[in-house]
């Protein structure tokens, strides 16, 4: 039996808050658990022997098509999502150092995206997105 991070033991995740020149945050709407249907900053699982900052950059580039340069630590977030029976501890970073235009590169995982002001966030927001927003305010 293969054990799965987040499902069989707490997983290590990462997220990246991407802010444009206007200070708006890029969010994507999730299609899969955990928190399917929720708006989310980009992110995912940290691979074995991969630094969490590198994982945040990799996941962001895979999910958005952007080129991400420098990232800065923002906060830690622990999500226990009872509805999906998942448990994650995530290292969250932030950046405004990117090039390109975001696009929907993983339509099997994400359904739509947009830039949102901190005081005008869509609902519902994923747990680690809510945590990140708290640290940004």
């Amino acid at each position: 039996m293969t054990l799965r991070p987040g499902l069989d033991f707490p997983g290590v995740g990462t997220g990246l808050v991407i802010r444009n020149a206007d200070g708006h945050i890029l969010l994507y709407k999730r299609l899969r658990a955990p928190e399917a249907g929720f708006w989310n900053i980009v992110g995912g699982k940290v691979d074995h022997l991969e630094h969490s900052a590198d994982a945040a950059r990799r996941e962001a580039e895979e999910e958005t098509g952007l080129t991400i340069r420098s990232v800065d630590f923002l906060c830690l977030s622990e999500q226990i999502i009872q509805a999906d029976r998942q448990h994650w501890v995530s290292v969250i970073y932030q950046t405004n150092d990117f090039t390109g235009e975001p696009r929907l590169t993983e339509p099997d995982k994400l359904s739509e995206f947009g830039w949102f002001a901190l005081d005008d966030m869509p609902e519902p927001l994923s747990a680690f997105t809510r945590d990140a927003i708290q640290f940004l305010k």
Side-chain angles (χ1 to χ4, degrees):
M1 181 172 122
T2 302
L3 296 177
R4 299 161 298 165
L7 293 167
D8 299 311
F9 60 91
V12 178
T14 189
L16 183 63
V17 175
I18 300 172
R19 295 181 87 168
N20 67 13
D22 296 329
H24 291 81
I25 295 171
L26 182 62
L27 298 178
Y28 281 78
K29 195 168 196 181
R30 299 180 57 83
L31 289 173
R32 296 184 185 171
E35 299 179 301
F38 285 61
W39 288 92
N40 199 54
I41 58 175
V42 293
K45 181 175 66 69
V46 177
D47 292 333
H48 185 246
L49 300 178
E50 180 182 33
H51 192 281
S52 59
D54 295 332
R57 190 177 295 104
R58 173 184 53 77
E59 288 283 353
E61 289 181 348
E62 289 172 2
E63 292 180 3
T64 68
L66 297 171
T67 299
I68 307 295
R69 292 186 290 259
S70 66
V71 300
D72 297 307
F73 174 78
L74 178 64
C75 65
L76 287 176
S77 172
E78 183 170 15
Q79 311 95 57
I80 298 173
I81 306 161
Q82 293 293 347
D84 296 315
R85 304 282 308 142
Q86 294 203 29
H87 184 179
W88 291 90
V89 176
S90 297
V91 185
I92 301 179
Y93 295 87
Q94 63 180 331
T95 191
N96 60 1
D97 189 10
F98 65 90
T99 58
E101 291 296 323
R103 57 189 194 275
L104 200 56
T105 60
E106 296 183 332
D108 57 318
K109 296 179 184 176
L110 306 166
S111 65
E112 56 186 298
F113 68 93
W115 294 100
F116 299 92
L118 276 177
D119 60 355
D120 191 24
M121 291 280 118
E123 290 292 337
L125 289 175
S126 70
F128 87 157
T129 300
R130 281 194 312 273
D131 289 347
I133 302 291
Q134 242 181 344
F135 278 87
L136 291 169
K137 287 187 173 181

